[in-house]
Amino acid sequence: MVLSEIKAVSGDMKIFVDCSMDDGRDVYKAMALGADAVSVGRGILPGLIKEGKDGVIKKVSRINEELRELMGYTGVKNVSEFDPAVLWYHGRHFTDNN
């Protein structure tokens, strides 16, 4: 929730969000709040342990598919178009709460 505030004071520093990215919705939210990049982190471990490389490929592919789907629903054509205004929080646009 504070990522947009961090982005506002980070200057030219790139913001990478790591861990707790379990699906495309998590990635979408992080990107909308100002992340320049997202790393899945530990989210790949269950698939890695169970299926090895194929499990990791499945997980990352699913996350990418979910992210593309959400971007399509909200008209976000590429990563440079993310904006906190696409998010809703307690029934209002996220930007209305700041």
Side-chain angles (χ1 to χ4, degrees):
M1 298 298 290
V2 299
L3 188 54
S4 57
E5 294 173 38
I6 293 169
K7 186 73 172 181
V9 297
S10 66
D12 292 335
M13 185 183 343
K14 298 294 183 191
I15 306 294
F16 291 73
V17 174
D18 186 24
C19 294
S20 298
M21 298 291 126
D22 193 46
D23 57 36
R25 293 172 299 186
D26 294 330
V27 174
Y28 184 92
K29 288 182 250 181
M31 297 297 291
L33 291 171
D36 293 295
V38 176
S39 174
V40 177
R42 291 183 293 245
I44 62 169
L45 288 180
L48 177 63
I49 292 168
K50 188 174 181 180
E51 301 176 59
K53 177 180 81 171
D54 291 339
V56 173
I57 291 170
K58 285 179 188 176
K59 177 71 170 186
V60 173
S61 294
R62 192 187 94 233
I63 289 172
N64 285 334
E65 289 170 17
E66 292 167 347
L67 178 59
R68 273 192 301 275
E69 183 177 0
L70 286 168
M71 289 172 68
Y73 289 154
T74 57
V76 177
K77 295 180 180 118
N78 60 58
V79 294
S80 65
E81 293 184 5
F82 277 109
D83 182 317
V86 300
L87 300 176
W88 287 77
Y89 181 73
H90 293 286
R92 299 185 336 200
H93 277 109
F94 179 79
T95 53
D96 294 342
N97 295 312
N98 294 328

